[in-house]
Amino acid sequence: MYADNPSTAIRYGVITLDNYTPKAKNPSIAKVFKEIGYADELGSGVRNLTKYTKAYSGTLPVLEDGEIFKMVIFERLLN
């Protein structure tokens, strides 16, 4: 699965568990989603994507931040 979204980059490049720093790009929206139970703690998305993509596909997700945020998960299943 591939997704991209226009973005205001916090940092440019590939995001991994070793190099990411949780930071909401829109803190007001993040707070609303957390309050209504649609979001966990800040930064849990990268951890969860890594954990579950690895468990279900045997590969790690590819997350890349820039002017366009890109995400690729389950790439092995496409090949």
Side-chain angles (χ1 to χ4, degrees):
M1 178 171 77
Y2 172 84
D4 63 28
N5 188 45
S7 173
T8 302
I10 294 170
R11 60 182 291 286
Y12 287 81
V14 175
I15 299 169
T16 67
L17 286 176
D18 296 328
N19 72 0
Y20 89 103
T21 304
K23 179 172 171 51
K25 291 183 180 185
N26 190 323
S28 298
I29 291 175
K31 184 178 179 180
V32 168
F33 277 99
K34 185 171 178 5
E35 290 294 321
I36 63 174
Y38 277 40
D40 293 326
E41 63 184 281
L42 182 62
S44 63
V46 172
R47 288 192 306 271
N48 287 337
L49 275 171
T50 301
K51 176 181 175 180
Y52 292 113
T53 301
K54 178 78 173 164
Y56 286 103
S57 74
T59 64
L60 293 174
V62 177
L63 307 169
E64 186 176 347
D65 203 4
E67 291 185 20
I68 302 290
F69 177 82
K70 300 174 186 173
M71 174 184 72
V72 180
I73 58 174
F74 303 119
E75 185 173 26
R76 189 181 93 191
L77 299 176
L78 297 174
N79 295 328

